[in-house]
Amino acid sequence: MAHAKLNLSRMYDWIERNRNLDVVQPTDADIMQLFGFDSPESARTLLAELADAGRITIKGYGESRTIALGRIKSELTPAPRPMPSAKRADPVVDAGIAKIAAIVARGGNAGTARAVQAAAVLKSAQLKQTPSTPRPTKAVTTRPVPVPPIKEPVKMPAKPARTPAPAATPIPPFSPPAAVFALDTLFDMIRERFDERPDQSAELAAAIERAEATERRAKQVEERAKSAEAKLAQMKALFA
């Protein structure tokens, strides 16, 4: 998170004052107590913002952390280049150098002596290169391997003959059941079921009459309530 400019300025003044007084720089706990932070991460981000701005330089972590004013660039000193202590003579390289010098000296009489010297060096280098003789290889001695005596094979008991499993009884193929009743017979059964139903017309008519009587009574009660409200309104008007 970004801190306020006022907190950044107070933190920088604190670090500068401790630097001038040669006092130990504040820890994360001291910064949390002064600014009222909840976690040490807020204190570290406050210092990090000052370091990003180039106002301070932070080195190390924890108790060994040091804070300096300004931005300090770390300079790396180059390591010295290792040099060989002794020069090893290489006849092949010397012969090549001599050959090049001989080619350069072909242009005039002044290089004749150099050409002769280079030829002598090349000749000496060629004589030094003797073919390397291969080292004699030691004959591989073979040690006799003791052969264990052959034991007589152990006769395994003969396995009993397996009895064949009884054959499973064949499953007859599935055939859908034939229609038990014809279509006309089914219709006749449906008609008989409808004819066997009890006659409930009388009960239905009685229920309808009861419902109508109840509705008439409800209308009468509603009319009586309206007349009572009218009378009550007249009484209120008289007393008013």
Side-chain angles (χ1 to χ4, degrees), residues 128-180:
K128 288 181 180 179
Q129 294 179 358
T130 56
S132 59
T133 56
R135 295 181 179 179
T137 57
K138 296 181 179 180
V140 179
T141 57
T142 57
R143 297 180 180 179
V145 179
V147 180
I150 300 174
K151 298 181 180 179
E152 295 182 358
V154 179
K155 295 182 180 180
M156 299 298 292
K159 295 183 180 180
R162 297 178 63 182
T163 56
T169 56
I171 300 173
F174 174 76
S175 58
V180 181

